[in-house]
């Protein structure tokens, strides 16, 4: 694949990630301000500056939008952890796992996917 296509794919993935984050932040803000049952998906779409249809491209339900995507752990990192690594000290290994889960650079384009 030409490098320009890879760059475009990377930019597109980053934009998707940012849109998903924006939707979740707006959903959490609306839930905190008005209560979960007291805001509509239309209000969420307006707050996140996306169409209602776009909401469903990112999250199947309002609850999923409020909770957001969970952190992603790649198979190699998980295998290392299960094998007793990377340091061999459980608490230190847990800290390293948390760092990996919340590092936006650790991913195949969409770091917060299920």
């Amino acid at each position: 694949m030409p490098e320009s296509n890879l760059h475009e794919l990377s930019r597109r993935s980053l934009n998707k990630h940012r849109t998903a984050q924006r939707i979740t932040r707006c959903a959490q803000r609306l839930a905190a301000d008005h209560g979960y049952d007291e805001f509509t998906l239309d209000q969420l779409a307006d707050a996140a500056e996306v169409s209602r249809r776009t909401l469903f491209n990112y999250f199947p339900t309002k609850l999923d939008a409020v909770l957001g995507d969970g952190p992603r752990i790649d198979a190699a990192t998980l295998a290392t952890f299960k094998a007793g690594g990377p340091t061999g000290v459980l608490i230190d290994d847990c800290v390293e796992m948390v760092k990996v889960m919340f590092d936006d650079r650790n991913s195949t384009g969409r770091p917060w996917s299920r």
Side-chain angles (χ1 to χ4, degrees):
M1 180 178 283
E3 189 169 324
S4 61
N5 289 348
L6 289 174
H7 179 68
E8 182 63 32
L9 180 61
S10 177
R11 185 180 327 147
R12 190 175 320 133
S13 296
L14 181 59
N15 287 339
K16 283 184 170 188
H17 172 66
R18 287 178 176 162
T19 299
Q21 285 185 318
R22 186 173 66 249
I23 292 168
T24 295
R25 277 194 312 273
C26 291
Q28 291 171 347
R29 189 175 319 115
L30 287 167
D33 291 348
H34 306 290
Y36 176 79
D37 292 327
E38 302 304 319
F39 75 92
T40 66
L41 290 174
D42 289 327
Q43 289 170 314
L44 174 55
D46 287 344
E49 299 178 348
V50 298
S51 71
R52 183 181 165 107
R53 183 174 181 167
T54 297
L55 289 177
F56 290 105
N57 288 335
Y58 285 87
F59 300 102
T61 68
K62 182 164 83 169
L63 181 59
D64 289 314
V66 171
L67 295 176
D69 286 335
R72 181 187 194 318
I73 304 170
D74 64 88
T77 301
L78 188 56
T80 299
F81 181 78
K82 286 180 177 179
T87 70
V89 177
L90 181 58
I91 192 70
D92 293 337
D93 294 343
C94 290
V95 168
E96 291 304 314
M97 288 292 289
V98 170
K99 287 179 184 177
V100 167
M101 290 184 330
F102 292 99
D103 182 357
D104 281 351
R105 294 166 296 179
N106 151 46
S107 156
T108 58
R110 186 165 184 217
W112 302 96
S113 62
R114 288 187 182 158

